Amino acid sequence: MEWHVTDAQSLAIIDREIGDHSFSPAEYEIVRRVIYATADFEYKSLIRFSDLALQSGAAALAARTTIVVDVPMVQVGIAPHIQSTFANPVYCSMEAITRPQKEKSRAAWGMETLARRYPEGIFVVGEDQTALTTIAELIRTEEIRPALVIGTPSGFVGVEAAKEQLAESLIPHIRVEGRKGSAVVAAAIVNGLIDLAWQAYGQNQHGIG
């Protein structure tokens, strides 16, 4: 990602204001990217990384693992960066052809369809809480084993339970605790992870494919 002078100034402000923290250098890159995208320092205390989340996610990106997102805003937010680096396929659950059902949102049904098709994919849920619940349930029943799940939807009904279900799984994941979150946060996390993965694996990608 190209940073400009104003970006550097903004990042310097974030570094100054964020103060002491216990994040690893790689985790901190993700956290500061989210704060930069939202201007909300509360995310410092809300973002959670499971064991091996960054390692598993970076390796999956380098392997050109399929990425499944819940809403177009996430897809648009990550597409330029992914296309200029690893060029992973990116599918949006809202665009998956499914039979409409009353019990779940369109995004949730699409997520279930795509999850069964790409059970070891990278799943990014930025907005639709029922899509995250669907992913968590498919993990619980061992129908899918994702390389990484990023869960950042906001909400008041059920969203905290869905995030807790993700937290209790053994799947590598990055989540935002509590009610807060957004598609902007999800895209910022993915783009930060792409940068970290490109630093680690990018030089080996040329000539592949």
Side-chain angles (χ1 to χ4, degrees):
M1 184 170 180
E2 288 187 35
W3 297 101
H4 302 287
V5 173
T6 53
D7 298 317
Q9 292 170 340
S10 297
L11 292 173
I13 292 170
I14 292 169
D15 291 340
R16 189 166 62 247
E17 292 191 21
I18 206 167
D20 294 333
H21 62 83
S22 58
F23 298 111
S24 71
E27 290 171 346
Y28 181 67
E29 284 301 314
I30 302 287
V31 173
R32 80 203 289 242
R33 184 71 69 94
V34 170
I35 293 172
Y36 177 77
T38 61
D40 187 344
F41 281 87
E42 194 176 348
Y43 282 109
K44 174 189 174 183
S45 59
L46 295 178
I47 296 178
R48 299 285 188 275
F49 300 88
S50 74
D51 290 342
L52 303 178
L54 297 184
Q55 296 93 320
S56 179
L61 285 170
R64 294 187 174 170
T65 299
T66 295
I67 301 170
V68 178
V69 306
D70 63 332
V71 291
M73 188 173 177
V74 177
Q75 187 172 23
V76 170
I78 68 173
H81 212 31
I82 202 71
Q83 286 167 5
S84 65
T85 52
F86 299 105
N88 303 58
V90 181
Y91 296 105
C92 179
S93 68
M94 294 284 283
E95 296 166 5
I97 299 172
T98 58
R99 290 181 294 117
Q101 305 282 348
K102 290 181 180 177
E103 309 91 68
K104 291 183 181 178
S105 68
R106 183 177 163 195
W109 279 112
M111 187 65 72
E112 183 169 337
T113 299
L114 291 169
R116 294 182 191 280
R117 196 175 301 163
Y118 306 104
E120 297 179 351
I122 298 169
F123 295 92
V124 185
V125 182
E127 202 166 279
D128 193 286
Q129 172 255 308
T130 56
L132 185 59
T133 302
T134 296
I135 288 295
E137 187 60 24
L138 290 170
I139 290 169
R140 188 187 67 79
T141 56
E142 298 183 354
E143 294 176 70
I144 63 172
R145 190 165 183 82
L148 178 70
V149 177
I150 295 171
T152 69
S154 63
F156 295 96
V157 181
V159 71
E160 291 179 87
K163 291 175 178 177
E164 188 59 36
Q165 207 172 346
L166 178 61
E168 291 172 357
S169 77
L170 297 177
I171 296 298
H173 68 271
I174 304 169
R175 69 186 191 279
V176 172
E177 291 280 75
R179 295 172 170 178
K180 293 187 87 166
S182 71
V184 171
V185 172
I189 291 172
V190 175
N191 285 330
L193 185 58
I194 291 169
D195 280 350
L196 291 169
W198 192 247
Q199 290 169 20
Y201 297 100
Q203 67 272 19
N204 299 320
Q205 289 293 313
H206 301 297
I208 295 177

